[in-house]
Amino acid sequence: MAGSDDGVYAISVAASMVSMEIQNLRVYERRGLLTPDRTAGGSRLYSDDDVVRLERIRDLLADGLNLVGIARVLELEDEVDRLRARLGEQSA
């Protein structure tokens, strides 16, 4: 069974799921906002986690942030997640 971080959706499917244009997903990858899996042939495969991240990017764009600001927000959110996981490990 595929995990939430396993790429399963083609770029066209992922773009449709989040109501974005395919070229936008390519830009977000180039900017380092997400890293989809790749097939042996080089096709992008997006996971459920990637789709959630794309939804977050879409929401931040709607709030008026540019891609540099979005990159910083995502970086900080990832750091918060890592710190929460560490705290959970320490309390266990």
Side-chain angles (χ1 to χ4, degrees):
M1 187 167 132
S4 62
D5 61 345
D6 295 331
V8 293
Y9 305 112
I11 192 169
S12 59
V13 175
S16 176
M17 290 171 74
V18 295
S19 302
M20 290 181 173
E21 297 294 327
I22 291 171
Q23 59 266 28
N24 291 346
L25 275 63
R26 292 184 181 120
V27 168
Y28 304 151
E29 181 184 0
R30 274 196 305 275
R31 291 293 192 96
L33 300 179
L34 74 158
T35 308
D37 291 339
R38 295 283 183 148
T39 65
S43 297
R44 293 168 178 87
L45 288 178
Y46 292 83
S47 67
D48 289 329
D49 288 348
D50 291 330
V51 171
V52 169
R53 194 166 184 96
L54 286 167
E55 290 169 341
R56 183 68 176 132
I57 291 168
R58 183 194 59 212
D59 294 345
L60 291 169
L61 284 167
D63 288 342
L65 272 72
N66 62 22
L67 294 182
V68 173
I70 290 171
R72 186 65 179 137
V73 167
L74 294 175
E75 179 183 310
L76 290 169
E77 289 176 347
D78 289 345
E79 179 66 16
V80 167
D81 290 343
R82 283 190 295 273
L83 290 171
R84 285 185 176 148
R86 268 186 34 199
L87 282 174
E89 290 171 4
Q90 291 175 358
S91 65

